[in-house]
Amino acid sequence: MAEIVYPPVVLAAKTMFRVLDNRLRVTGTEHIPRSGGAVIACNHVSYLDFIFCGLGAQPADRLVRFMAKKAIFDNRIAGPLMRGMHHIEVDRAAGKDSYDEAVQRLRGGEIVGVFPEATISRSFTVKPTKSGAVRMAAEAGVPVVPMALWGTQRLWTKGRPRTLTKRHVPIDIHAGEPFHPGADDDPEVLNKDLRTRMSEILDGLQADYPDEPAGEDDRWWLPAHLGGTAPTPEEAAALDAQRPERG
């Protein structure tokens, strides 16, 4: 398929991050397949994660087709861009159609990006994940590459104002070792393994992050178990139940 929209969008994103001196550190890129289908399963802490997850595959010269909710495709600005980049529209009323399209894309040799937590994690830990990522990989016969991002929440996350022009924010992206779900494997066991892998990568990124909060009021972007003021996973789940937000 023709790639008219995706390359300019990637170039614009890279230019913006360079101007803002957002220090991107991309590691584990040797784990991204240079050819053939694969599922990238990434944690979700920011509204911008699809951009950075996609950048994580750039060193392998791969474009990621993300599964994204219908509301984004319905947006008059984002919609044409999403369709132009050949992302996959997810309509909850017709979820099987989206799933089948993703499997078809994987069998066709494309990389499909999935956020298995489904929504942004307010606690900045990995929430319980849905099994769609491992199920589609098993059906298509392709590997799953676990990935984690850290630092993106400082630019724009759930319940916080956008700070897209904030300068000098380190952004870490790491792709973990791929694993190959089998058609006869238990999806729930695979899903538990995926969540463990994503959590371990995220823990490593958090431990090695080169920046610290500027003061007590800036501790919001750290998870509670690292001394931050973000909600605990239990508190975050309660907040999501009380005040569900898009994302």
Side-chain angles (χ1 to χ4, degrees):
M1 62 182 76
E3 300 294 350
I4 299 172
V5 177
Y6 215 141
V9 170
V10 171
L11 179 60
K14 288 181 175 179
T15 300
M16 182 181 74
F17 300 138
R18 190 160 49 245
V19 168
L20 295 175
D21 190 28
N22 293 139
R23 291 165 281 164
L24 268 64
R25 182 170 58 175
V26 185
T27 54
T29 56
E30 69 275 11
H31 294 138
I32 305 292
R34 266 50 182 177
S35 62
V39 174
I40 290 182
C42 191
N43 73 315
H44 201 8
V45 293
S46 165
Y47 290 108
L48 304 175
D49 286 341
F50 72 97
I51 297 175
F52 292 98
C53 179
L55 289 177
Q58 281 290 297
D61 197 27
R62 302 300 303 271
L63 297 176
V64 182
R65 314 300 178 181
F66 286 97
M67 300 188 74
K69 58 189 177 182
K70 182 178 183 296
I72 299 176
F73 285 82
D74 290 340
N75 183 279
R76 64 184 182 86
I77 297 175
L81 291 174
M82 296 294 284
R83 284 185 284 273
M85 290 186 281
H86 308 295
H87 294 313
I88 301 170
E89 180 177 339
V90 178
D91 185 348
R92 290 182 179 178
K96 187 177 184 306
D97 291 344
S98 305
Y99 177 91
D100 289 344
E101 181 179 354
V103 171
Q104 182 179 4
R105 299 281 196 96
L106 292 167
R107 287 174 172 162
E110 296 199 62
I111 291 185
V112 173
V114 179
F115 296 104
E117 298 163 277
T119 60
I120 290 172
S121 171
R122 298 176 190 259
S123 67
F124 306 139
T125 61
V126 179
K127 297 171 57 173
T129 53
K130 299 183 181 299
S131 63
V134 294
R135 287 189 293 107
M136 67 176 64
E139 186 169 340
V142 302
V144 176
V145 179
M147 181 180 283
L149 312 171
W150 187 243
T152 61
Q153 78 280 11
R154 298 176 66 186
L155 301 178
W156 188 16
T157 193
K158 187 176 287 189
R160 301 288 304 188
R162 281 177 289 185
T163 54
L164 302 182
T165 58
K166 187 176 179 62
R167 295 175 59 83
H168 314 305
V169 174
I171 305 292
D172 287 351
I173 306 165
H174 182 77
E177 185 176 350
F179 66 102
H180 294 74
D184 296 328
D185 293 335
D186 185 335
E188 293 309 317
V189 173
L190 292 170
N191 188 44
K192 183 178 179 180
D193 180 31
L194 172 60
R195 186 186 180 199
T196 297
R197 290 169 183 257
M198 292 167 57
S199 295
E200 289 175 349
I201 296 171
L202 180 59
D203 288 345
L205 294 183
Q206 291 171 339
D208 294 338
Y209 193 64
D211 213 355
E212 295 182 358
E216 190 61 31
D217 291 343
D218 195 38
R219 301 190 71 81
W220 64 266
W221 55 266
L222 278 182
H225 73 274
L226 292 179
T229 56
T232 65
E234 295 76 17
E235 291 168 342
L239 284 170
D240 284 340
Q242 294 168 9
R243 300 197 302 272
E245 295 180 24
R246 293 181 177 180

